[in-house]
Amino acid sequence: GQNIDQPTEMTATEGAIVQINCTYQTSGFNGLFWYQQHAGEAPTFLSYNVLDGLEEKGRFSSFLSRSKGYSYLLLKELQMKDSASYLCAVKDNAGNMLTFGGGTRLMVKP
Amino acid sequence: GAGVSQTPSNKVTEKGKYVELRCDPISGHTALYWYRQSLGQGPEFLIYFQGTGAADDSGLPNDRFFAVRPEGSVSTLKIQRTERGDSAVYLCASSPQGYSYEQYFGPGTRLTVT
């Protein structure tokens, strides 16, 4: 089975940097995903890590350490539109579905 | 191009009734997933189709839930004898292949059981 933990809520200031952590315990591992979800909307794909290290994509970066069962999503130059929930999800070896954490609700303040 | 679409966007039904929720995946995507999301929580896996067959239905909570994908495209999630605890947003996602890493989500159907 899978157990995925992430903080419930975070607050940050416009223009700042925020790091959202995710820890996981899994019976297998075949990739970690971050999704963004605005209230009342569908989750949208942000990043995918399957090897250790940092993946950078514009203002967003995602890091993975498989030995520690740890990932983070880094958001730089925060904008008001970044206020959303950020979902960490893991794909295990056995299946193709994603197991999601509870999501981190990020509030960006002026 | 068109994304994943789901109908209806909202469904209110009385306890004990039967409901059907529809998902139209992205054209050409062979893998289709159903998830359920309760307020303030992450999506929870229900069932996965590869083509017409259910490759993994381990997430279906009980035998009141059933899903089909008869022609390998549109899928219908069916819930019998609905209960208030079934109230949630039901999300559908598709991907080009089962092993593809990115899943594209639809806007969801908000089901309310009164």
Side-chain angles (χ1 to χ4, degrees):
Chain A
Q2 317 275 27
N3 186 38
I4 301 171
D5 290 313
Q6 50 181 132
T8 305
E9 286 190 356
M10 297 183 71
T11 302
T13 304
E14 190 177 17
I17 299 173
V18 70
Q19 177 174 313
I20 302 174
N21 295 324
C22 172
T23 58
Y24 63 91
Q25 296 171 316
T26 64
S27 56
F29 181 82
N30 198 24
L32 187 140
F33 303 76
W34 285 96
Y35 280 79
Q36 180 191 61
Q37 186 177 28
H38 286 97
E41 298 183 10
T44 54
F45 172 80
L46 289 178
S47 69
Y48 167 68
N49 295 68
V50 68
L51 299 176
D52 291 352
L54 188 68
E55 295 281 342
E56 297 185 79
K57 188 187 295 185
R59 293 190 298 115
F60 293 3
S61 303
S62 57
F63 172 83
L64 174 67
S65 169
R66 288 173 297 170
S67 62
K68 296 182 178 178
Y70 168 69
S71 173
Y72 67 72
L73 180 69
L74 193 71
L75 292 76
K76 303 175 184 176
E77 301 169 14
L78 280 172
Q79 302 175 10
M80 298 299 291
K81 68 178 182 179
D82 296 330
S83 293
S85 286
Y86 291 86
L87 301 164
C88 174
V90 170
K91 180 182 283 194
D92 66 19
N93 287 334
N96 289 292
M97 76 289 197
L98 296 173
T99 302
F100 285 86
T104 299
R105 183 180 170 194
L106 175 66
M107 289 174 280
V108 180
K109 296 187 174 181
Chain B
V4 178
S5 63
Q6 294 185 244
T7 54
S9 56
N10 280 282
K11 176 69 177 178
V12 181
T13 191
E14 292 180 348
K15 179 176 177 296
K17 299 291 188 182
Y18 168 82
V19 296
E20 290 189 350
L21 311 179
R22 176 187 168 108
C23 172
D24 273 280
I26 294 172
S27 178
H29 281 193
T30 60
L32 185 146
Y33 308 80
W34 283 99
Y35 294 84
R36 177 169 69 174
Q37 186 173 28
S38 299
L39 190 64
Q41 299 182 17
E44 174 190 21
F45 169 75
L46 295 176
I47 187 169
Y48 154 59
F49 287 90
Q50 181 58 46
T52 60
D56 186 344
D57 65 357
S58 62
L60 295 178
N62 51 59
D63 61 6
R64 295 187 298 106
F65 288 74
F66 188 71
V68 296
R69 195 186 185 200
E71 297 178 358
S73 178
V74 170
S75 176
T76 305
L77 178 66
K78 308 180 181 191
I79 311 174
Q80 298 178 323
R81 305 183 303 280
T82 52
E83 299 177 356
R84 292 195 179 88
D86 298 335
S87 297
V89 175
Y90 289 81
L91 294 166
C92 177
S94 70
S95 67
Q97 296 283 349
Y99 56 78
S100 299
Y101 64 81
E102 185 170 351
Q103 294 182 14
Y104 299 82
F105 282 83
T109 294
R110 180 175 298 279
L111 175 66
T112 303
V113 182
T114 62

